[in-house]
Amino acid sequence: METSIDTDMASAAGSSAASAAGSSAASPNKQSRESFDKHAPPVTLIIFGASGDLTARKILPSINSLVERSALSDEFTVVGVARTPMDDIGFQKLALECVPNYSSEWEKVVSRFRYITGEYDDLSTFSNLKTLLDEIDTTCGTQGNRLFYLATLPSMFAEVADQLARVNLNKPGTGGTFSRLVIEKPFGRDLQSALALNKELHSCFQESQIYRIDHYLGKETVQNVLALRFSNAIFEPVWNRSYVDHIQVTVAESIGVEHRGGFYETAGALRDIVQNHVMQVLGLVLMEPPAQVDGQSIRDEKVKLLHSVEIMEPDRVDSLVVRGQYDRGWLQGNQVASYREEDGVDPNSNTETYVAMKMMVDNWRWAGVPIYIRTGKRLHNRVTEVALQFKRVPHLAFADRLSRELTPNYIVLKIQPEEGISVRFGAKVPGQAFKVKTVSMDFSYGDAFSGETPDAYERLILDAMVGDPTLFIRADEVAQSWSIVDPILENWADEYSAPVALYPAGSWGPTEADLLIERDQRRWLVL
Ligand code: BG6
């Protein structure tokens, strides 16, 4: 339905954003971005925590990009809700300021944005919201469809969901087809709290209405794992224990905890990265082929895979997992502080900023193939990749001295910052002797495809509006990945467990992590 809502809403908001922020910043033409193959239906996006960091840094800039891609309907608007006192104009100004060089089109869209100041434990916040949403449905043509994005502290998730249900906002408005809830990790801090959160959410929203974001699933290169595995005949036949020797997953960051010391003290790398991002990526790399690429088939296969991961006995944790923490060091020529010196961090903290672990998958495809995982902050480089190392050929006919530079074959899925796939194999060095050396065949996203890669949030927010749950985490996946890390957390809570190992910032982690893999006559890949 096409309507001329812009004018209506500009007057409803009382004033235009142009007058709030000064129209001089707007450029007349939208930037050119490739359009998506999906288009959102009319909907109101309601952001709880609208005055916060996630809204300004990710959500609103992604909405702007979706506008530039013409992926949103004309009948789209945003309502911000937060405790910070602000009016519509203030929120519109914020929405403009978080988009550098915004277009006049963004200015027009933003002029419809509304804002409600209120406490989340006060029912009147939610009855005011309901009144406003009903009004917007009439004036703006949003047709009763609502997407609630909880960009709040996770401790507020259950409360907000409950209050929404109390005023019937867990159902679409008149004429609408959906009311959905978007939440972002952490989903609990262990199995028990995750189950409790699932239960609280399920008491007000059905599972099909809940969209749990793991932003790694929104990354193009992570989604490309599916394309690589299931649209090519050459990879899948060797993607199993008969050919793969072991798998290495690296999620290395060079940044420290930045301004999030207080939060990080309650999390640590295992909860922050392994339980969610690493398990999700591994799910896609290791799962069985789905019957089709849709929300149910993909998530069924991922959860099946997670159920096959060997659960560690707590007394084996010390030999299978290394926890580390960054000490002072040097990065890109600058001296950086230790974790314990960061703002909001206990000077005696034992929180891990690094984890290395060995994991086994007990199923037909992966029996006996170790998965080595390492992730950490303040490491030498920012790099995320998954490498499958293949077994050596059964008999190497070349003389030792001629094949010294030959390493096993690898397929490396490069997730970031380089985006692509690299296949490493042996080739003859030109010359008379039959010398063999490892070479690499590289596919790079940037070279193969023009146009910039959309931000993970853009794709995910659009999918939530469209109602495609494929790239969102289901309740049973959350629970199962906590079951995998829970014994580790339990072991670490014990004062007699192996202490946190310090590593200098700018290194590749503690030496204990090298020992973990070298014990198996293997080595971490040099990145
Ligand atoms: C977040 C973690 O989920 O992922 C952060 O909370 C981490 O600590 C971030 O820095 C890494 O995301 P990306 O996309 O930069 O790899």
Side-chain angles (χ1 to χ4, degrees):
M1 183 179 75
E2 295 292 318
T3 55
S4 59
I5 49 163
D6 300 334
T7 333
D8 292 349
M9 283 310 293
S11 56
S15 169
S16 78
S19 61
S23 56
S24 58
S27 56
N29 300 312
K30 64 179 180 182
Q31 289 163 25
S32 62
R33 284 190 204 261
E34 265 173 52
S35 59
F36 279 153
D37 49 358
K38 291 181 181 170
H39 194 263
V43 57
T44 307
L45 171 69
I46 303 98
I47 308 173
F48 287 90
S51 57
D53 187 50
L54 184 66
T55 305
R57 218 167 26 86
K58 288 288 179 191
I59 304 176
L60 291 173
S62 300
I63 296 295
N64 170 61
S65 304
L66 290 172
V67 168
E68 290 182 357
R69 291 181 201 282
S70 308
L72 302 184
S73 123
D74 287 343
E75 298 85 3
F76 163 81
T77 195
V78 174
V79 174
V81 186
R83 282 176 286 209
T84 310
M86 208 180 337
D87 58 9
D88 294 344
I89 303 295
F91 183 50
Q92 291 166 8
K93 188 163 181 275
L94 184 153
L96 291 180
E97 283 168 353
C98 62
V99 172
N101 304 320
Y102 55 83
S103 65
S104 49
E105 188 173 7
W106 179 236
E107 216 175 22
K108 198 165 112 192
V109 172
V110 164
S111 70
R112 307 196 291 263
F113 289 8
R114 307 289 297 269
Y115 185 84
I116 290 186
T117 308
E119 296 290 332
Y120 302 139
D121 60 359
D122 180 355
L123 194 61
S124 69
T125 307
F126 294 82
S127 31
N128 291 343
L129 175 63
K130 182 164 169 32
T131 309
L132 178 62
L133 291 178
D134 289 343
E135 175 199 319
I136 288 175
D137 284 340
T138 316
T139 56
C140 202
T142 38
Q143 300 183 9
N145 294 327
R146 283 104 194 232
L147 183 67
F148 299 100
Y149 198 128
L150 275 49
T152 62
L153 286 177
S155 54
M156 305 309 302
F157 290 169
E159 167 104 61
V160 174
D162 179 57
Q163 300 274 39
L164 287 171
R166 278 171 200 266
V167 296
N168 265 331
L169 283 174
N170 56 345
K171 300 184 187 72
T174 313
T177 54
F178 65 86
S179 163
R180 299 185 185 125
L181 200 63
V182 177
I183 55 173
E184 200 162 335
K185 77 163 186 82
F187 311 121
R189 46 179 290 104
D190 53 21
L191 177 61
Q192 205 187 356
S193 53
L195 291 176
L197 176 63
N198 279 344
K199 195 166 163 202
E200 284 167 325
L201 294 176
H202 288 157
S203 68
C204 352
F205 283 80
Q206 288 173 16
E207 177 60 22
S208 60
Q209 295 176 279
I210 305 172
Y211 286 66
R212 295 179 192 78
I213 286 194
D214 180 313
H215 77 279
Y216 264 59
L217 292 181
K219 292 182 191 277
E220 283 289 335
T221 40
V222 171
Q223 291 165 42
N224 193 38
V225 172
L226 295 177
L228 175 87
R229 289 191 59 194
F230 306 127
S231 68
N232 297 296
I234 58 172
F235 299 117
E236 204 50 25
V238 294
W239 210 267
N240 56 52
R241 78 194 140 82
S242 306
Y243 296 93
V244 176
D245 175 77
H246 75 276
I247 296 175
Q248 294 190 19
V249 183
T250 305
V251 180
E253 296 184 272
S254 52
I255 54 168
V257 288
E258 301 189 296
H259 55 279
R260 299 159 74 226
F263 155 76
Y264 204 83
E265 276 287 88
T266 65
L270 190 70
R271 289 189 175 96
D272 193 40
I273 301 282
V274 177
Q275 184 271 338
N276 34 71
H277 305 324
V278 171
M279 291 302 155
Q280 284 300 318
V281 172
L282 275 176
L284 297 176
V285 172
L286 304 178
M287 72 183 195
E288 292 303 308
Q292 51 216 7
V293 174
D294 64 23
Q296 167 130 8
S297 312
I298 297 272
R299 298 188 303 172
D300 283 354
E301 291 305 338
K302 273 196 291 163
V303 86
K304 213 168 89 191
L305 184 276
L306 291 173
H307 274 284
S308 314
V309 172
E310 197 177 282
I311 304 289
M312 280 178 210
E313 295 296 334
D315 62 354
R316 294 199 64 213
V317 169
D318 282 349
S319 60
L320 296 174
V321 189
V322 170
R323 54 172 164 165
Q325 187 189 77
Y326 62 83
D327 204 348
R328 288 184 189 173
W330 290 85
L331 255 165
Q332 283 130 28
N334 297 317
Q335 191 161 28
V336 295
S338 69
Y339 174 69
R340 290 176 188 173
E341 292 167 326
E342 303 274 16
D343 277 353
V345 172
D346 177 349
N348 298 312
S349 174
N350 274 328
T351 303
E352 80 289 356
T353 60
Y354 177 97
V355 176
M357 61 189 270
K358 176 180 172 182
M359 197 176 95
M360 300 301 290
V361 177
D362 289 338
N363 68 11
W364 193 272
R365 183 186 285 264
W366 296 115
V369 179
I371 321 286
Y372 299 97
I373 297 165
R374 58 178 163 166
T375 179
K377 292 205 181 276
R378 283 283 188 239
L379 295 181
H380 191 265
N381 275 339
R382 175 177 184 248
V383 44
T384 299
E385 63 177 43
V386 180
L388 284 79
Q389 181 181 316
F390 287 82
K391 295 185 174 172
R392 287 184 183 271
V393 289
H395 169 66
L396 198 59
F398 310 102
D400 269 1
R401 69 185 171 79
L402 295 177
S403 57
R404 218 169 275 141
E405 292 177 56
L406 187 65
T407 57
N409 296 141
Y410 288 98
I411 295 180
V412 185
L413 313 174
K414 297 175 168 197
I415 293 169
Q416 59 190 22
E418 272 180 62
E419 302 186 319
I421 292 164
S422 156
V423 179
R424 299 184 195 157
F425 56 96
K428 182 182 173 302
V429 179
Q432 244 188 347
F434 215 99
K435 198 170 170 197
V436 215
K437 191 179 168 184
T438 300
V439 295
S440 170
M441 206 155 64
D442 295 312
F443 148 72
S444 144
Y445 252 83
D447 294 344
F449 302 108
S450 61
E452 59 24 309
T453 311
D455 183 80
Y457 279 85
E458 270 181 64
R459 149 92 32 191
L460 295 173
I461 293 173
L462 181 60
D463 279 359
M465 288 180 187
V466 170
D468 181 351
T470 313
L471 300 177
F472 295 85
I473 310 179
R474 218 166 49 187
D476 51 354
E477 292 182 75
V478 174
Q480 194 51 33
S481 39
W482 278 116
S483 302
I484 296 167
V485 302
D486 251 23
I488 307 175
L489 292 170
E490 244 172 68
N491 172 286
W492 288 352
D494 184 326
E495 57 177 315
Y496 297 109
S497 66
V500 73
L502 295 181
Y503 59 95
S507 69
W508 278 111
T511 44
E512 285 81 347
D514 296 333
L515 298 177
L516 173 86
I517 190 166
E518 284 166 13
R519 257 197 330 248
D520 295 347
Q521 283 76 51
R522 298 183 175 102
R523 312 188 66 135
W524 293 114
L525 276 178
V526 178
L527 302 171

